[in-house]
Amino acid sequence: MSNTTQTINEQDQKSVTNKRYLPLLLVNYGFLFIGSLSSSLLSKYYFNHKGSSRWVSTWVQSAGFPLLIIPIVVPYYLFKSTQRKPFTGFTPKILALSIFIGFMLGVNNLLFSWGNSYLPVSTSSLLLSSQLVFNLILSVIIVKQKITFMNLNCVILLTLSSVLLALESSNDQPHDVTKTKYFIGYLATIGAGLLFALYLPIMEMVYKKVYCYAMVMEMQMVMEVAATVLASIGMVFDGGFTEMKREGYQVFDKGEKVYWATVVSNVVSWQLCFMGTAGMVFLTCSLTGGICMTALLMMNVVGGVVVYREEFGGVKVVSTVMCGWGFCSYAYGMYVKNKMLKDRDDGGGGGHDSDDKNV
């Protein structure tokens, strides 16, 4: 393919993405909403019913990567909405970066599984909201994110909510979990939040070289293959898939059929979550993606209370209200900013910024 043809195709892909910006953004946020809530509840369901392998819990988070074939090949082969063939334009540098980030994602998945095995869903979700302060700092360093009152206010509120929860953590300790295990789960969850906060701005930096949504999904697929390889190696040392089959048959207290239904449901829900995350970062920015994800953690808190009857005392109420307040203030600030930009463009006759991803 000549350089001229490549440039035309890139411009065409950017145009297609921009025309479909809002619908694509809504679809990805829908994936993120469904995937985030269901994956947290299903992961805890596995541990609640005597599932004990953190490597299995880690493996299901990325093993659904074949599902990404659908958004990769359907636009080209079925809808004919793009002239770009799948996996063209993949440079050795992008491939190497995708593999490296995939291994980092695999470690993050393991830390999440470790924390989720010891902590209630509501506590884990509120702790994960602390990733936002790391996300802001790393976004400033890596992608030169501008600090404004609305994003700083949001980060402060969400961070304080996590601090409040930490101060009252002893009252939330499950009866069958020792203080040591609870502390390990607490640190592992904070570590997962920190690593994911690093993952988001790195992805934003990489996506600046990506000109279409299909390529984002292709990179995501490579990352998840790498994460699955890491989890599979861990599973081999933990007994392999034979041990997984034995766990479903002899250990899981809901029976083998429910065990495999739980595993498959976990695979699909995590795939929706990661697809939504990648799309949000590509279409907006890492900080906006992190704030939207943190807002969804409030739903996970409510889900843990409703589904698993977890305690929801005064501290959790205050933490949840602070999370909601922080997100709403950020969302309103973004609304006001976009309205001012639109009024300015309409008044001055100018066009919108060429890079709609950064809205």
Side-chain angles (χ1 to χ4, degrees):
M1 182 183 292
S2 66
N3 290 337
T4 303
T5 304
Q6 178 74 19
T7 302
I8 292 173
N9 283 343
E10 290 184 11
Q11 291 174 345
D12 175 64
Q13 288 301 318
K14 288 178 181 178
S15 176
V16 168
T17 298
N18 292 342
K19 287 176 182 177
R20 299 172 182 172
Y21 173 81
L22 184 57
L24 194 58
L25 183 65
L26 292 175
V27 167
N28 277 275
Y29 195 71
F31 284 164
L32 182 58
F33 177 85
I34 297 170
S36 175
L37 180 58
S38 58
S39 60
S40 294
L41 295 177
L42 286 167
S43 296
K44 192 61 182 178
Y45 183 84
Y46 167 79
F47 288 114
N48 279 354
H49 294 285
K50 298 188 178 180
S52 59
S53 175
R54 294 170 191 86
W55 284 111
V56 170
S57 181
T58 302
W59 182 80
V60 298
Q61 293 180 52
S62 57
F65 65 84
L67 295 174
L68 293 174
I69 289 294
I70 298 172
I72 291 173
V73 303
V74 165
Y76 178 78
Y77 290 104
L78 187 60
F79 294 144
K80 308 295 183 182
S81 60
T82 176
Q83 297 179 1
R84 176 186 173 275
K85 290 184 179 180
F87 291 99
T88 54
F90 236 72
T91 64
K93 183 178 180 180
I94 290 179
L95 180 61
L97 275 172
S98 299
I99 293 172
F100 172 76
I101 296 170
F103 285 130
M104 186 175 75
L105 185 62
V107 175
N108 174 81
N109 293 345
L110 177 60
L111 288 173
F112 173 84
S113 297
W114 207 281
N116 202 36
S117 65
Y118 292 141
L119 302 180
V121 173
S122 53
T123 303
S124 178
S125 298
L126 286 170
L127 282 175
L128 285 171
S129 68
S130 66
Q131 62 92 14
L132 200 58
V133 67
F134 303 133
N135 185 211
L136 177 62
I137 295 170
L138 293 171
S139 293
V140 170
I141 295 172
I142 296 174
V143 294
K144 311 303 180 185
Q145 173 72 45
K146 292 182 180 179
I147 297 179
T148 63
F149 172 78
M150 60 183 181
N151 59 37
L152 184 60
N153 176 61
C154 179
V155 168
I156 290 172
L157 287 171
L158 291 170
T159 304
L160 286 176
S161 72
S162 296
V163 172
L164 276 176
L165 191 68
L167 294 175
E168 292 291 327
S169 61
S170 60
N171 296 329
D172 194 45
Q173 183 178 323
H175 299 298
D176 57 343
V177 175
T178 64
K179 287 186 178 180
T180 301
K181 289 182 177 179
Y182 188 90
F183 184 67
I184 291 173
Y186 193 95
L187 289 181
T189 304
I190 293 293
L194 175 58
L195 202 55
F196 200 75
L198 176 62
Y199 164 81
L200 291 176
I202 288 178
M203 288 313 306
E204 181 183 352
M205 181 179 65
V206 174
Y207 286 160
K208 287 182 178 179
K209 303 181 181 297
V210 175
Y211 54 86
C212 66
Y213 182 77
M215 193 170 182
V216 171
M217 292 297 103
E218 291 162 8
M219 292 181 63
Q220 187 67 28
M221 186 173 183
V222 174
M223 292 176 205
E224 293 191 34
V225 169
T228 304
V229 168
L230 181 65
S232 298
I233 293 172
M235 285 184 66
V236 168
F237 283 100
D238 197 38
F241 293 93
T242 302
E243 181 63 21
M244 186 178 179
K245 186 176 179 180
R246 186 196 69 81
E247 182 180 62
Y249 182 69
Q250 297 180 358
V251 179
F252 198 71
D253 63 12
K254 288 293 184 179
E256 189 174 10
K257 289 183 179 180
V258 176
Y259 176 83
W260 290 110
T262 302
V263 169
V264 172
S265 300
N266 255 302
V267 167
V268 174
S269 62
W270 276 111
Q271 218 36 239
L272 290 175
C273 185
F274 283 127
M275 283 177 64
T277 300
M280 288 294 293
V281 173
F282 174 67
L283 294 168
T284 58
C285 66
S286 58
L287 184 59
T288 298
I291 287 173
C292 290
M293 291 170 63
T294 301
L296 288 180
L297 291 174
M298 290 186 298
M299 296 301 299
N300 294 351
V301 172
V302 175
V305 173
V306 172
V307 176
Y308 297 125
R309 308 296 185 211
E310 296 173 359
E311 293 184 7
F312 196 60
V315 173
K316 281 190 180 179
V317 171
V318 173
S319 294
T320 303
V321 169
M322 291 180 73
C323 283
W325 181 11
F327 175 74
C328 288
S329 67
Y330 181 81
Y332 179 73
M334 288 295 293
Y335 167 77
V336 171
K337 178 183 177 183
N338 289 335
K339 190 174 185 300
M340 289 175 61
L341 289 173
K342 184 178 179 180
D343 292 342
R344 184 194 66 185
D345 291 341
D346 290 342
H352 293 286
D353 292 340
S354 60
D355 191 0
D356 285 350
K357 296 193 309 177
N358 295 323
V359 173

